[in-house]
Amino acid sequence: MTQLNRRQMLSQGAALIGTAASGLLVPQHALAQSGKIRVGFMLPYTGTFAQLGVAIENGVRMAINEQGGKLGGREIEWFKVDDESEPAKAIENANKLVQRDKVDVLIGTVHSGVQMGIHRVARESGVLNLIPNAGVHIATRAQCAPNVFRTSFTNSQPTMALGEAMVKRGHKKAVWISWKYAAGDEAYEGFKESYTKAGGTIIKELGLPFPNVEFQALLTEIAALKPDAVACFFAGGGAAKFMKDYAAAGLKDKIPLYGSGFLTEGVIDAAGPAAEGVLTTLHYGDGIETKRNNEFRLAYAKTFKMQPDVYAVQGYDTGLLLIQGANAVKGDLSKKGELYKAMEGATIDSPRGKWSMSKSHNPVQDMYLRQVVGKENKVIGVAAKALADSGAGCRL
Ligand code: PHB
């Protein structure tokens, strides 16, 4: 046997073993081109982020339904797992979709800690993972991966635009407060950099474990510290509770409240008057006055009988990205090289404004300064143009 033949035999043997191990009796490439594309949602459907998961799923489905409900000409079979925003169950939950359901695409998730579990499974299995929210830095920095694309933000992107906006409004001494986990810590990183660079001083960093909402002692501390302003990261149900408690503690009219814009997304009704006037920075705002955004908002409200928010937009953009990728390979997602290339080169015509994918697979996007007026996150300015995450340490 020649050297070449021997090598060929070995590699064919390995391919056969691989096929048998994955439980498939037909070659994988044949399966990939026929039948339905298997799309799995791993999102929070319970807990403080439950409404975020629902909005993301709505957005994805809306984008795909607008294009006839197919991907690259193929029908879709949907799968769903509730990740409960529980990092300890993340790997097991991701494997339900990847190993049990054999999804072609895993869409998830919201919580940065849970994302780390998904990330491990995505890197080990090679499954296509689209991140529709979680901003954990490492996923598009040192551990970036060819099969992982984010359609949302990195945790420090919104707060990188926040510091300067606060100093410009004359608030030179601030207290920071957030949940102590990757998202809060990394949002703080962005805030610290932008606020101190603009000449502000952070007099105290306060925190509590996710998803606790016992804010009372910390609010008492803020009152005693008497900063010019407070900046924070909270989201979902916890964010509504924070704004209500802030107002109830008598701080609302004394110390202006700022935040990364998740603070006021999807919770303006729940927070009521406590949200009025709150200023935030984010890559979306209800009041973006473009035809694209107005049409999106109308269609979403009509279909789902609720107002869209940033999470719905991120889900929608995830759908748009997947459509662009699937169309480029005519539904054959096994053509990974071509699929990734199409997604890397995609420009997404989003309700937030057009954005492109950075080299490390994260959106390059504008950040808006918004203020809650009535039931809306009104856009009052652009806080940063075409803001890209550093992508530090990413080699693709
Ligand atoms: C995160 O955990 O990365 C996270 C969660 C909710 C948000 C934003 C970021 O609104």
Side-chain angles (χ1 to χ4, degrees):
M1 192 185 288
T2 66
Q3 195 61 21
L4 191 68
N5 280 343
R6 194 178 140 72
R7 222 183 284 140
Q8 273 176 335
M9 272 200 46
L10 282 174
S11 76
Q12 276 170 14
L16 280 173
I17 290 165
T19 306
S22 63
L24 299 169
L25 295 172
V26 280
Q28 240 161 343
H29 61 85
L31 194 79
Q33 289 165 65
S34 61
K36 296 182 175 177
I37 294 189
R38 301 161 82 85
V39 180
F41 287 115
M42 178 160 156
L43 293 167
Y45 293 105
T46 51
T48 201
F49 289 160
Q51 68 192 74
L52 286 59
V54 171
I56 288 168
E57 181 180 336
N58 288 347
V60 172
R61 287 183 185 270
M62 182 172 151
I64 293 173
N65 285 339
E66 281 178 358
Q67 315 264 334
K70 291 188 178 182
L71 284 171
R74 287 171 63 196
E75 304 220 338
I76 302 170
E77 186 168 359
W78 301 95
F79 299 85
K80 259 168 95 155
V81 166
D82 176 9
D83 70 35
E84 304 166 46
S85 294
E86 176 49 84
K89 296 184 190 165
I91 289 179
E92 189 192 331
N93 279 331
N95 276 326
K96 282 184 192 160
L97 290 171
V98 174
Q99 291 191 2
R100 183 192 66 193
D101 301 334
K102 308 230 171 337
V103 296
D104 299 297
V105 189
L106 190 163
I107 297 176
T109 189
V110 167
H111 183 287
S112 277
V114 178
Q115 196 65 47
M116 288 316 297
I118 294 178
H119 201 61
R120 196 165 136 191
V121 171
R123 282 175 27 125
E124 281 169 6
S125 67
V127 75
L128 175 61
N129 173 214
L130 305 181
I131 310 175
N133 185 74
V136 64
H137 285 168
I138 205 168
T140 54
R141 290 192 185 176
Q143 285 185 20
C144 68
N147 54 316
V148 175
F149 291 81
R150 179 150 45 201
T151 57
S152 49
F153 54 86
T154 61
N155 284 324
S156 59
Q157 255 181 323
T159 43
M160 281 294 275
L162 183 61
E164 194 186 333
M166 288 173 65
V167 172
K168 271 191 184 156
R169 293 177 155 256
H171 310 304
K172 297 239 171 83
K173 264 184 356 180
V175 166
W176 170 264
I177 179 168
S178 65
W179 280 313
K180 291 294 294 172
Y181 78 108
D185 295 345
E186 293 175 354
Y188 178 64
E189 255 179 69
F191 176 65
K192 190 170 158 190
E193 188 176 330
S194 66
Y195 193 63
T196 53
K197 208 163 138 195
T201 306
I202 301 166
I203 57 174
K204 188 99 191 211
E205 184 203 350
L206 298 171
L208 71 172
F210 176 88
N212 285 12
V213 289
E214 299 311 318
F215 300 117
Q216 213 46 56
L218 297 168
L219 294 172
T220 305
E221 198 172 342
I222 289 172
L225 286 163
K226 295 193 174 59
D228 296 342
V230 169
C232 69
F233 163 80
F234 291 109
K241 170 91 165 41
F242 181 71
M243 286 188 284
K244 280 178 151 175
D245 288 3
Y246 194 84
L251 296 176
K252 185 171 161 48
D253 298 325
K254 288 195 199 124
I255 309 171
L257 179 61
Y258 286 78
S260 72
F262 307 111
L263 181 66
T264 57
E265 286 296 314
V267 299
I268 293 179
D269 278 339
E276 185 70 25
V278 172
L279 283 146
T280 59
T281 48
L282 199 65
H283 47 285
Y284 183 63
D286 310 323
I288 293 175
E289 276 302 329
T290 57
K291 187 162 170 270
R292 183 77 175 116
N293 188 42
N294 289 337
E295 284 175 1
F296 166 78
R297 294 192 68 82
L298 261 174
Y300 186 96
K302 216 168 132 188
T303 308
F304 301 108
K305 313 285 176 248
M306 60 168 120
Q307 290 302 315
D309 54 21
V310 73
Y311 309 107
V313 172
Q314 291 166 179
Y316 187 74
D317 291 2
T318 303
L320 294 181
L321 179 68
L322 186 54
I323 289 161
Q324 287 202 23
N327 284 348
V329 293
K330 301 197 170 51
D332 181 359
L333 299 194
S334 70
K335 291 184 175 160
K336 297 193 172 187
E338 275 175 64
L339 174 67
Y340 300 160
K341 211 167 146 217
M343 291 171 53
E344 281 166 350
T347 297
I348 301 298
D349 185 11
S350 166
R352 74 181 98 165
K354 284 198 176 127
W355 60 266
S356 59
M357 202 51 97
S358 75
K359 281 212 175 79
S360 55
H361 296 182
N362 187 70
V364 178
Q365 56 193 337
D366 296 343
M367 289 289 152
Y368 304 95
L369 178 63
R370 312 112 41 89
Q371 184 162 36
V372 177
V373 180
K375 299 270 176 220
E376 203 184 67
N377 281 297
K378 199 171 176 226
V379 174
I380 58 173
V382 176
K385 263 307 239 188
L387 187 68
D389 186 75
S390 74
C394 172
R395 309 228 180 300
L396 283 178

